[in-house]
């Protein structure tokens, strides 16, 4: 019978080592090298983890070659078009979609937990007005751990789910407060009569006092189409297997630190422009490019190996095909174009970049396709969301993914503290 193993030969000594291959239910199998150091006295070397599976997981599956993404085996296309973000949260946390009654209870629980402790609200006063909302968000989520010093018993589902619900529910309030602090306007408290996404948009856009459905110009009600678009954006960001920020969350979890501190670390990791910060950078870059006529020159710069200019919103470590989330957002963008009068110069520049890059040998040969961040910025701009809030919105969507991965890590009896080694080349 064929053995499911791999044999490595040290060509200096002639010694051979055999390692088991662990089969995935879908996607690449892995070589189990946990005894490699003990066997050989050597480490494996994989900076940036390009060939490393850091954990076993049942949450999210990506086939980067096909451009496929599934949460708990449900295709992202179905979740984004047939289900709400809250249903998706329930699915991630419970491995199944909710019944109607369960959804009502879950929705109510999330609404009720959205308020912040007054002490936490005062913390915002300590931050300067021009603080980036991501910095305020990360600090405030760490501060949340001072109010909820849970010592969670992972044997008790209700305990860790309560912790998860609390963070999912409070993050939009913290994000909206961080934004309002940054522009110096009074905070809008959560409205228990509103669903998750409408509540967030209201806390962002309303004027205090009176009924809240006002945009900054004081006129428009929040439209149904805007709520749907934002809800879809949250769903598309809900989880993405072992990306940089999720890996950080798991690593912090591995030390035994408080779950909110792990989430706060994930927020910090997400901020970088190679990761979640790319959505803000995409719009900043489109503004910098300035007009359709300048696009060719910037594409040339992106291709120049001696220029570190990169086209923001292009490329992905895992997707070597169209990012399925980007496809959904492109469809949404076309839909919104008509409904929200979305015909801006920025959109024209973005379309031109997309058109050139998708046909250019440099991008085609490297399989550099537009990613989720390429489209989300344009849509968020149409929803009157300022650039500085793009990455906090990514955070709102991703919190459920981080906390679900945190729970999975904690429940894995084989999990260990993350402690990689190094190739020392110093004196
Ligand atoms: N513009 C121009 N060239 C690029 C780009 C780009 N956006 N992305 C990759 N390349 C080139 C890169 O120069 C390299 O070329 P060569 O082989 O000639 O040296 C090749 O493509 C491979 O790039 P890499 O940096 O080795 O790929 P990576 O898997 O380490 O990085 C990435 C992936 C997403 C960090 C990178 O594509 C990038 O910096 N993109 C722009 C930032 C961005 O949009 N980030 C959001 C990612 S999606 C949301 C998320 O995950 O949070």
């Amino acid at each position: 019978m064929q053995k499911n193993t791999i044999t490595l030969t040290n060509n200096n000594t002639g010694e051979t080592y055999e390692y088991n291959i662990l089969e995935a239910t879908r996607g690449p199998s892995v070589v189990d090298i946990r005894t490699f150091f003990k066997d050989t006295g050597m480490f494996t070397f994989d900076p940036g983890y390009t060939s490393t599976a850091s954990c076993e997981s049942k949450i999210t599956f990506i086939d980067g070659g096909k451009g496929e993404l599934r949460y708990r085996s449900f295709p992202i296309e179905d979740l984004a078009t047939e289900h709400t973000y809250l249903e998706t949260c329930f699915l991630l946390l419970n491995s199944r979609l909710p019944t109607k009654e369960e959804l009502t209870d879950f929705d109510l629980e999330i609404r009720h937990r959205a308020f912040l402790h007054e002490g936490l609200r005062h913390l915002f006063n300590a931050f300067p007005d021009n603080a980036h909302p991501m910095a305020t968000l990360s600090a405030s989520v760490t501060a949340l751990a001072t109010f909820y010093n849970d010592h969670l018993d992972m044997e008790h589902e209700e305990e860790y789910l309560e912790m998860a619900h609390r963070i999912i529910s409070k993050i939009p309030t913290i994000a909206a407060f961080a934004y309002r602090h940054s522009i110096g306007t009074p905070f809008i408290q959560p409205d228990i009569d509103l669903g998750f996404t409408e509540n967030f948009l209201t806390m962002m856009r309303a004027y205090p006092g009176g009924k809240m459905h006002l945009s900054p110009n004081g006129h428009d009600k929040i439209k149904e189409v805007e709520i749907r678009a934002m809800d879809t954006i949250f769903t598309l960001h809900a989880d993405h297997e072992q990306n940089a920020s999720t890996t950080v969350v798991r690593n912090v979890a591995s030390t035994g630190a408080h779950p909110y501190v792990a989430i706060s670390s994930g927020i910090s990791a997400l901020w970088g422009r190679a990761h979640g910060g790319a959505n803000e950078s995409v719009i900043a870059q489109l503004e910098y490019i300035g007009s359709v006529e300048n696009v060719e020159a910037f594409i040339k710069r992106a291709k120049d190996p001696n220029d570190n200019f990169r086209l923001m919103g292009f490329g992905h470590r895992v997707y070597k095909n169209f990012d399925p989330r980007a496809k959904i957002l492109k469809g949404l963008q076309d839909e919104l174009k008509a409904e929200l009068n979305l015909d801006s110069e920025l959109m024209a520049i973005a379309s031109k970049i997309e058109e050139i890059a998708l046909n250019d040998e440099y991008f085609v040969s490297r399989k550099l396709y537009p990613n989720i961040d390429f489209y989300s910025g344009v849509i968020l701009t149409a929803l009157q969301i300022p650039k500085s809030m793009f990455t906090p919105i990514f955070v709102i969507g991703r919190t459920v993914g981080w906390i679900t991965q945190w729970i999975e890590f904690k429940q894995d009896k084989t999990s260990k503290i993350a402690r990689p080694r190094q190739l020392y080349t110093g004196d």
Side-chain angles (χ1 to χ4, degrees):
M1 197 175 95
Q2 196 187 346
K3 277 173 85 182
N4 211 2
T5 60
I6 195 164
T7 302
L8 300 177
T9 305
N10 181 331
N11 293 327
N12 285 328
T13 63
E15 283 171 298
T16 61
Y17 308 95
E18 192 170 272
Y19 294 98
N20 288 327
I21 296 174
L22 309 179
E23 294 294 343
T25 44
R26 284 198 62 193
S29 309
V30 304
V31 181
D32 181 355
I33 55 159
R34 279 176 284 189
T35 60
F36 190 84
F37 176 58
K38 209 164 107 207
D39 299 342
T40 68
M42 288 185 277
F43 300 129
T44 57
F45 186 61
D46 185 21
Y49 311 129
T50 51
S51 296
T52 296
S54 61
C55 63
E56 186 181 327
S57 182
K58 293 183 168 61
I59 303 170
T60 290
F61 173 74
I62 303 174
D63 184 330
K66 283 194 192 148
E68 179 183 355
L69 168 63
R70 288 167 184 266
Y71 302 155
R72 301 284 191 194
S73 85
F74 284 77
I76 190 66
E77 292 78 7
D78 293 357
L79 293 170
T81 55
E82 288 162 30
H83 298 279
T84 62
Y85 174 67
L86 273 197
E87 288 177 85
T88 304
C89 288
F90 188 99
L91 170 70
L92 282 164
L93 288 168
N94 300 283
S95 312
R96 60 178 177 82
L97 283 166
T99 62
K100 220 169 147 212
E101 292 73 31
E102 283 171 332
L103 183 60
T104 307
D105 288 350
F106 183 56
D107 183 12
L108 267 182
E109 163 141 12
I110 297 293
R111 288 179 196 219
H112 279 86
R113 291 189 184 280
F115 296 86
L116 301 186
H117 190 289
E118 276 296 287
L120 186 62
R121 194 168 69 82
H122 293 311
L123 180 74
F124 288 83
N125 296 335
F127 299 122
D129 284 356
N130 60 357
H132 192 289
M134 281 297 281
T136 311
L137 193 53
S138 174
S140 307
V141 172
T142 295
L144 208 55
T146 67
F147 296 95
Y148 302 98
N149 197 11
D150 314 55
H151 293 288
L152 293 172
D153 180 348
M154 294 310 288
E155 299 298 323
H156 288 104
E157 194 181 45
E158 43 322 336
E159 273 192 34
Y160 62 77
L161 281 183
E162 180 182 326
M163 176 275 298
H165 296 168
R166 196 189 292 131
I167 185 83
I168 290 166
S169 160
K170 290 190 194 308
I171 282 269
T173 314
I174 297 174
F177 280 19
Y179 167 62
R180 296 195 76 106
H181 177 72
S182 75
I183 56 166
T185 56
F187 301 141
I188 303 291
Q189 291 295 335
D191 184 341
I192 213 155
D193 291 334
L194 302 179
F196 184 87
T197 301
E198 184 174 8
N199 197 14
F200 170 66
L201 284 171
T202 304
M203 288 189 288
M204 283 288 292
R205 285 170 29 175
Y207 277 99
K211 214 38 191 166
M212 311 257 180
H213 296 190
L214 297 172
S215 71
N217 64 23
H219 301 301
D220 316 328
K221 275 193 156 221
I222 294 169
K223 299 184 178 95
E224 209 40 57
V225 63
E226 295 180 292
I227 299 168
R228 190 163 51 81
M230 183 60 87
D231 203 74
T232 306
I233 285 179
F234 288 150
T235 299
L236 297 179
H237 287 93
D239 195 48
H240 214 226
E241 54 118 302
Q242 308 313 318
N243 55 81
S245 55
T246 301
T247 301
V248 166
V249 169
R250 279 185 178 258
N251 283 357
V252 176
S254 82
T255 70
H258 192 284
Y260 297 159
V261 176
I263 300 295
S264 168
S265 310
I267 293 172
S268 303
L270 189 80
W271 193 3
R273 63 192 217 127
H275 195 9
N279 53 14
E280 182 177 343
S281 302
V282 167
I283 294 296
Q285 192 169 82
L286 295 179
E287 286 167 353
Y288 181 61
I289 293 173
S291 79
V292 173
E293 293 78 63
N294 297 335
V295 168
E296 296 266 10
F298 280 96
I299 297 268
K300 208 165 153 206
R301 282 189 61 188
K303 297 193 299 186
D304 180 353
N306 300 315
D307 189 335
N308 62 10
F309 178 87
R310 278 196 170 194
L311 217 46
M312 287 293 118
F314 269 78
H316 198 277
R317 170 65 64 78
V318 181
Y319 293 120
K320 301 302 169 195
N321 200 325
F322 229 98
D323 177 340
R325 303 166 302 171
K327 250 191 209 165
I328 295 166
L329 283 187
K330 187 171 158 51
L332 191 62
Q333 183 181 285
D334 293 341
E335 221 180 289
L336 289 177
K337 207 170 170 177
E339 296 203 46
L340 293 181
N341 254 341
L342 240 180
D343 227 350
S344 66
E345 179 70 10
L346 286 192
M347 273 195 80
I349 300 171
S351 302
K352 186 76 185 167
I353 292 176
E354 187 189 349
E355 180 195 318
I356 299 180
L358 286 176
N359 295 297
D360 187 291
E361 199 277 328
Y362 174 93
F363 292 90
V364 174
S365 64
R366 287 169 181 73
K367 299 190 165 66
L368 300 172
Y369 289 86
N371 57 49
I372 187 168
D373 296 314
F374 187 71
Y375 298 103
S376 62
V378 174
I379 295 176
L380 290 172
T381 305
L383 299 180
Q384 304 178 33
I385 303 288
K387 275 202 303 282
S388 64
M389 282 303 291
F390 291 2
T391 317
I393 281 167
F394 194 151
V395 168
I396 296 174
R398 182 57 55 86
T399 296
V400 64
W402 287 328
I403 209 70
T404 306
Q405 301 265 353
W406 185 94
I407 292 168
E408 189 178 69
F409 180 88
K410 285 292 182 188
Q411 288 179 330
D412 180 354
K413 299 263 186 307
T414 68
S415 63
K416 283 175 173 294
I417 186 168
R419 185 28 172 119
R421 301 302 299 271
Q422 63 179 5
L423 171 65
Y424 179 71
T425 54
D427 290 334

